Amino acid sequence: MQKKNQTLRIALAQLNVCVGDVQNNLSQVQAAIRQAREQQADLVVFPELVLAGYPPEDLLFRPDFLAQMQAGVETLAAETDGMTVIVGAPLRRGTALQNMACVLRDGQIVAEYSKQCLPNYRVFDEKRYFTPGVQSLVVDVAGVKIGILICEDIWEDAPAQAAVAAGRTYCVC
């Protein structure tokens, strides 16, 4: 159980990642985690698919690329002692490839959220690659209930309403 704080210090990490450059993207995320720790953040939030770069498109068909995503998330989890990190990555769970937000804390992957609303218009082609999620996710960060949503999920009523029903105080996307 995490301590209860009067304030929740959140670091938002907007990075200049490159599609497919997993090692550089991972290095940028690691540097941002270190910086957030120095600033005594309770939570650091990264963009959708930050490890892969957005949009990864047909790289998602490569098993070696997906293996790098899983390894990257596990590497980052090991660096989260004393803080919570939400990082985006495409991950396979069973037979489903999902656009995920992974909640990392104290060396572990403590929760995962799969994007529910997959855009499929103009430049977006997410239904070609991903299986949509169906569950809401609310996590406790320093005594504050945070609903996790990914991009398009926040524009649609159902995912946000599910997070509210699950008891969230705030949502991060």
Side-chain angles (χ1 to χ4, degrees):
M1 180 106 196
Q2 289 195 304
K3 64 182 182 203
K4 274 208 181 255
N5 289 333
Q6 291 298 110
T7 51
L8 178 65
R9 295 180 54 98
I10 301 173
L12 301 176
Q14 185 61 45
L15 306 176
N16 188 22
V17 298
C18 183
V19 172
D21 190 354
V22 179
Q23 290 310 307
N24 181 56
N25 299 349
L26 180 62
S27 294
Q28 287 188 57
V29 171
Q30 290 170 311
I33 290 172
R34 286 191 298 273
Q35 183 179 8
R37 180 174 282 112
E38 290 168 7
Q39 296 172 349
Q40 300 178 341
D42 300 299
L43 170 65
V44 58
V45 181
F46 290 91
E48 174 182 15
L49 298 174
V50 69
L51 289 183
Y54 189 88
E57 296 185 341
D58 286 359
L59 286 171
L60 297 169
F61 294 134
R62 296 183 52 163
D64 61 321
F65 183 74
L66 294 177
Q68 289 179 64
M69 295 298 103
Q70 183 65 43
V73 170
E74 291 169 5
T75 296
L76 293 171
E79 300 177 16
T80 59
D81 190 41
M83 68 185 319
T84 302
V85 173
I86 301 174
V87 65
L91 297 170
R92 188 167 298 285
R93 295 296 179 250
T95 60
L97 178 61
Q98 297 184 304
N99 180 342
M100 300 188 87
C102 299
V103 181
L104 315 175
R105 182 185 301 139
D106 294 327
Q108 298 179 52
I109 302 169
V110 296
E112 295 176 332
Y113 173 79
S114 298
K115 185 175 183 179
Q116 296 180 40
C117 300
L118 303 176
N120 219 49
Y121 54 87
R122 290 188 228 135
V123 299
F124 303 106
D125 198 15
E126 291 191 23
K127 289 181 181 178
R128 177 177 183 213
Y129 303 102
F130 297 115
T131 300
V134 295
Q135 297 293 325
S136 64
L137 177 63
V138 175
V139 295
D140 182 280
V141 180
V144 178
K145 292 186 183 302
I146 305 288
I148 309 298
L149 300 171
I150 300 174
C151 193
E152 192 101 355
D153 292 344
I154 206 159
W155 303 338
E156 301 292 331
D157 290 338
Q161 289 174 350
V164 169
R168 73 89 176 119
T169 305
Y170 299 99
C171 283
V172 295
C173 174

